[in-house]
PDB file of all heavy atoms in Angstrom:
ATOM      1  N   PRO A1369      66.561 -12.566  24.738  1.00  0.00           N
ATOM      2  CA  PRO A1369      66.810 -13.853  24.093  1.00  0.00           C
ATOM      3  C   PRO A1369      66.552 -13.808  22.613  1.00  0.00           C
ATOM      4  O   PRO A1369      65.948 -14.687  22.047  1.00  0.00           O
ATOM      5  CB  PRO A1369      65.839 -14.771  24.837  1.00  0.00           C
ATOM      6  CG  PRO A1369      64.732 -13.884  25.218  1.00  0.00           C
ATOM      7  CD  PRO A1369      65.282 -12.507  25.449  1.00  0.00           C
ATOM      8  N   ILE A1370      66.989 -12.731  21.930  1.00  0.00           N
ATOM      9  CA  ILE A1370      66.785 -12.626  20.519  1.00  0.00           C
ATOM     10  C   ILE A1370      68.139 -12.528  19.862  1.00  0.00           C
ATOM     11  O   ILE A1370      68.950 -11.695  20.285  1.00  0.00           O
ATOM     12  CB  ILE A1370      65.938 -11.394  20.154  1.00  0.00           C
ATOM     13  CG1 ILE A1370      64.518 -11.588  20.634  1.00  0.00           C
ATOM     14  CG2 ILE A1370      65.978 -11.130  18.669  1.00  0.00           C
ATOM     15  CD1 ILE A1370      63.672 -10.376  20.549  1.00  0.00           C
ATOM     16  N   ASP A1371      68.402 -13.363  18.938  1.00  0.00           N
ATOM     17  CA  ASP A1371      69.702 -13.398  18.277  1.00  0.00           C
ATOM     18  C   ASP A1371      69.684 -12.454  17.067  1.00  0.00           C
ATOM     19  O   ASP A1371      68.979 -12.700  16.095  1.00  0.00           O
ATOM     20  CB  ASP A1371      69.983 -14.808  17.841  1.00  0.00           C
ATOM     21  CG  ASP A1371      71.374 -14.987  17.263  1.00  0.00           C
ATOM     22  OD1 ASP A1371      71.966 -13.944  16.969  1.00  0.00           O
ATOM     23  OD2 ASP A1371      71.830 -16.127  17.121  1.00  0.00           O
ATOM     24  N   PRO A1372      70.392 -11.320  17.190  1.00  0.00           N
ATOM     25  CA  PRO A1372      70.385 -10.372  16.072  1.00  0.00           C
ATOM     26  C   PRO A1372      70.912 -10.970  14.774  1.00  0.00           C
ATOM     27  O   PRO A1372      70.493 -10.618  13.698  1.00  0.00           O
ATOM     28  CB  PRO A1372      71.273  -9.195  16.560  1.00  0.00           C
ATOM     29  CG  PRO A1372      72.112  -9.783  17.610  1.00  0.00           C
ATOM     30  CD  PRO A1372      71.330 -10.892  18.233  1.00  0.00           C
ATOM     31  N   VAL A1373      71.867 -11.915  14.915  1.00  0.00           N
ATOM     32  CA  VAL A1373      72.463 -12.492  13.709  1.00  0.00           C
ATOM     33  C   VAL A1373      71.391 -13.294  12.947  1.00  0.00           C
ATOM     34  O   VAL A1373      71.216 -13.161  11.765  1.00  0.00           O
ATOM     35  CB  VAL A1373      73.656 -13.409  14.094  1.00  0.00           C
ATOM     36  CG1 VAL A1373      74.259 -13.992  12.843  1.00  0.00           C
ATOM     37  CG2 VAL A1373      74.677 -12.634  14.900  1.00  0.00           C
ATOM     38  N   LEU A1374      70.635 -14.085  13.714  1.00  0.00           N
ATOM     39  CA  LEU A1374      69.585 -14.912  13.099  1.00  0.00           C
ATOM     40  C   LEU A1374      68.539 -14.041  12.418  1.00  0.00           C
ATOM     41  O   LEU A1374      67.983 -14.373  11.394  1.00  0.00           O
ATOM     42  CB  LEU A1374      68.951 -15.765  14.179  1.00  0.00           C
ATOM     43  CG  LEU A1374      68.212 -17.035  13.680  1.00  0.00           C
ATOM     44  CD1 LEU A1374      69.146 -17.892  12.883  1.00  0.00           C
ATOM     45  CD2 LEU A1374      67.641 -17.795  14.882  1.00  0.00           C
ATOM     46  N   SER A1375      68.297 -12.837  13.044  1.00  0.00           N
ATOM     47  CA  SER A1375      67.338 -11.934  12.437  1.00  0.00           C
ATOM     48  C   SER A1375      67.784 -11.508  11.061  1.00  0.00           C
ATOM     49  O   SER A1375      66.966 -11.255  10.168  1.00  0.00           O
ATOM     50  CB  SER A1375      67.188 -10.684  13.297  1.00  0.00           C
ATOM     51  OG  SER A1375      66.848 -11.033  14.578  1.00  0.00           O
ATOM     52  N   ILE A1376      69.096 -11.378  10.880  1.00  0.00           N
ATOM     53  CA  ILE A1376      69.603 -10.918   9.568  1.00  0.00           C
ATOM     54  C   ILE A1376      69.669 -12.051   8.587  1.00  0.00           C
ATOM     55  O   ILE A1376      69.210 -11.959   7.467  1.00  0.00           O
ATOM     56  CB  ILE A1376      71.017 -10.279   9.726  1.00  0.00           C
ATOM     57  CG1 ILE A1376      70.917  -9.034  10.586  1.00  0.00           C
ATOM     58  CG2 ILE A1376      71.618  -9.982   8.389  1.00  0.00           C
ATOM     59  CD1 ILE A1376      72.241  -8.369  10.785  1.00  0.00           C
ATOM     60  N   VAL A1377      70.282 -13.156   8.970  1.00  0.00           N
ATOM     61  CA  VAL A1377      70.589 -14.178   7.992  1.00  0.00           C
ATOM     62  C   VAL A1377      69.382 -15.046   7.658  1.00  0.00           C
ATOM     63  O   VAL A1377      69.368 -15.666   6.606  1.00  0.00           O
ATOM     64  CB  VAL A1377      71.754 -15.086   8.465  1.00  0.00           C
ATOM     65  CG1 VAL A1377      73.032 -14.308   8.603  1.00  0.00           C
ATOM     66  CG2 VAL A1377      71.412 -15.790   9.800  1.00  0.00           C
ATOM     67  N   GLY A1378      68.399 -15.088   8.522  1.00  0.00           N
ATOM     68  CA  GLY A1378      67.195 -15.848   8.213  1.00  0.00           C
ATOM     69  C   GLY A1378      67.309 -17.338   8.529  1.00  0.00           C
ATOM     70  O   GLY A1378      68.363 -17.833   8.908  1.00  0.00           O
ATOM     71  N   GLU A1379      66.171 -17.999   8.355  1.00  0.00           N
ATOM     72  CA  GLU A1379      66.046 -19.393   8.792  1.00  0.00           C
ATOM     73  C   GLU A1379      67.000 -20.343   8.125  1.00  0.00           C
ATOM     74  O   GLU A1379      67.401 -21.335   8.697  1.00  0.00           O
ATOM     75  CB  GLU A1379      64.605 -19.849   8.419  1.00  0.00           C
ATOM     76  CG  GLU A1379      63.608 -19.571   9.500  1.00  0.00           C
ATOM     77  CD  GLU A1379      62.523 -20.646   9.534  1.00  0.00           C
ATOM     78  OE1 GLU A1379      62.858 -21.821   9.573  1.00  0.00           O
ATOM     79  OE2 GLU A1379      61.379 -20.278   9.481  1.00  0.00           O
ATOM     80  N   ARG A1380      67.324 -20.113   6.831  1.00  0.00           N
ATOM     81  CA  ARG A1380      68.017 -21.123   6.072  1.00  0.00           C
ATOM     82  C   ARG A1380      69.523 -21.039   6.110  1.00  0.00           C
ATOM     83  O   ARG A1380      70.212 -21.802   5.448  1.00  0.00           O
ATOM     84  CB  ARG A1380      67.569 -21.035   4.603  1.00  0.00           C
ATOM     85  CG  ARG A1380      66.141 -21.465   4.422  1.00  0.00           C
ATOM     86  CD  ARG A1380      65.920 -21.963   3.041  1.00  0.00           C
ATOM     87  NE  ARG A1380      64.753 -22.846   3.003  1.00  0.00           N
ATOM     88  CZ  ARG A1380      64.557 -23.743   2.056  1.00  0.00           C
ATOM     89  NH1 ARG A1380      65.384 -23.878   1.068  1.00  0.00           N
ATOM     90  NH2 ARG A1380      63.465 -24.480   2.116  1.00  0.00           N
ATOM     91  N   ALA A1381      70.039 -20.043   6.839  1.00  0.00           N
ATOM     92  CA  ALA A1381      71.493 -19.759   6.789  1.00  0.00           C
ATOM     93  C   ALA A1381      72.347 -20.914   7.221  1.00  0.00           C
ATOM     94  O   ALA A1381      71.974 -21.695   8.119  1.00  0.00           O
ATOM     95  CB  ALA A1381      71.757 -18.540   7.643  1.00  0.00           C
ATOM     96  N   THR A1382      73.518 -21.033   6.613  1.00  0.00           N
ATOM     97  CA  THR A1382      74.461 -22.026   7.041  1.00  0.00           C
ATOM     98  C   THR A1382      75.290 -21.423   8.183  1.00  0.00           C
ATOM     99  O   THR A1382      75.265 -20.232   8.442  1.00  0.00           O
ATOM    100  CB  THR A1382      75.446 -22.370   5.909  1.00  0.00           C
ATOM    101  OG1 THR A1382      76.100 -21.164   5.519  1.00  0.00           O
ATOM    102  CG2 THR A1382      74.694 -22.917   4.697  1.00  0.00           C
ATOM    103  N   THR A1383      76.088 -22.272   8.878  1.00  0.00           N
ATOM    104  CA  THR A1383      76.896 -21.787   9.979  1.00  0.00           C
ATOM    105  C   THR A1383      77.905 -20.755   9.529  1.00  0.00           C
ATOM    106  O   THR A1383      78.225 -19.800  10.242  1.00  0.00           O
ATOM    107  CB  THR A1383      77.584 -23.000  10.664  1.00  0.00           C
ATOM    108  OG1 THR A1383      76.589 -23.996  10.863  1.00  0.00           O
ATOM    109  CG2 THR A1383      78.192 -22.630  11.983  1.00  0.00           C
ATOM    110  N   GLU A1384      78.460 -20.953   8.330  1.00  0.00           N
ATOM    111  CA  GLU A1384      79.489 -19.990   7.822  1.00  0.00           C
ATOM    112  C   GLU A1384      78.860 -18.613   7.630  1.00  0.00           C
ATOM    113  O   GLU A1384      79.428 -17.582   8.024  1.00  0.00           O
ATOM    114  CB  GLU A1384      80.045 -20.445   6.472  1.00  0.00           C
ATOM    115  CG  GLU A1384      80.906 -21.706   6.535  1.00  0.00           C
ATOM    116  CD  GLU A1384      80.085 -23.001   6.604  1.00  0.00           C
ATOM    117  OE1 GLU A1384      79.144 -23.152   5.788  1.00  0.00           O
ATOM    118  OE2 GLU A1384      80.352 -23.794   7.517  1.00  0.00           O
ATOM    119  N   GLN A1385      77.676 -18.597   6.992  1.00  0.00           N
ATOM    120  CA  GLN A1385      76.999 -17.285   6.797  1.00  0.00           C
ATOM    121  C   GLN A1385      76.709 -16.629   8.149  1.00  0.00           C
ATOM    122  O   GLN A1385      76.910 -15.453   8.332  1.00  0.00           O
ATOM    123  CB  GLN A1385      75.654 -17.479   6.055  1.00  0.00           C
ATOM    124  CG  GLN A1385      75.797 -17.777   4.566  1.00  0.00           C
ATOM    125  CD  GLN A1385      74.485 -18.200   3.972  1.00  0.00           C
ATOM    126  OE1 GLN A1385      73.712 -19.000   4.521  1.00  0.00           O
ATOM    127  NE2 GLN A1385      74.180 -17.683   2.791  1.00  0.00           N
ATOM    128  N   TYR A1386      76.288 -17.486   9.088  1.00  0.00           N
ATOM    129  CA  TYR A1386      75.974 -16.976  10.436  1.00  0.00           C
ATOM    130  C   TYR A1386      77.168 -16.305  11.062  1.00  0.00           C
ATOM    131  O   TYR A1386      77.141 -15.167  11.550  1.00  0.00           O
ATOM    132  CB  TYR A1386      75.486 -18.157  11.261  1.00  0.00           C
ATOM    133  CG  TYR A1386      75.085 -17.805  12.674  1.00  0.00           C
ATOM    134  CD1 TYR A1386      73.757 -17.517  12.979  1.00  0.00           C
ATOM    135  CD2 TYR A1386      76.023 -17.730  13.709  1.00  0.00           C
ATOM    136  CE1 TYR A1386      73.389 -17.162  14.253  1.00  0.00           C
ATOM    137  CE2 TYR A1386      75.673 -17.405  14.971  1.00  0.00           C
ATOM    138  CZ  TYR A1386      74.360 -17.107  15.276  1.00  0.00           C
ATOM    139  OH  TYR A1386      73.991 -16.769  16.554  1.00  0.00           O
ATOM    140  N   ASN A1387      78.318 -17.032  11.045  1.00  0.00           N
ATOM    141  CA  ASN A1387      79.507 -16.515  11.700  1.00  0.00           C
ATOM    142  C   ASN A1387      80.027 -15.242  11.000  1.00  0.00           C
ATOM    143  O   ASN A1387      80.540 -14.355  11.653  1.00  0.00           O
ATOM    144  CB  ASN A1387      80.639 -17.575  11.700  1.00  0.00           C
ATOM    145  CG  ASN A1387      80.301 -18.672  12.699  1.00  0.00           C
ATOM    146  OD1 ASN A1387      79.491 -18.444  13.665  1.00  0.00           O
ATOM    147  ND2 ASN A1387      80.850 -19.836  12.522  1.00  0.00           N
TER     148      ASN A1387
END
Side-chain angles (χ1 to χ4, degrees):
Chain A
I1370 291 171
D1371 185 346
V1373 182
L1374 201 57
S1375 305
I1376 296 180
V1377 296
E1379 272 212 51
R1380 291 207 157 200
T1382 61
T1383 312
E1384 292 78 50
Q1385 284 171 317
Y1386 181 94
N1387 288 338

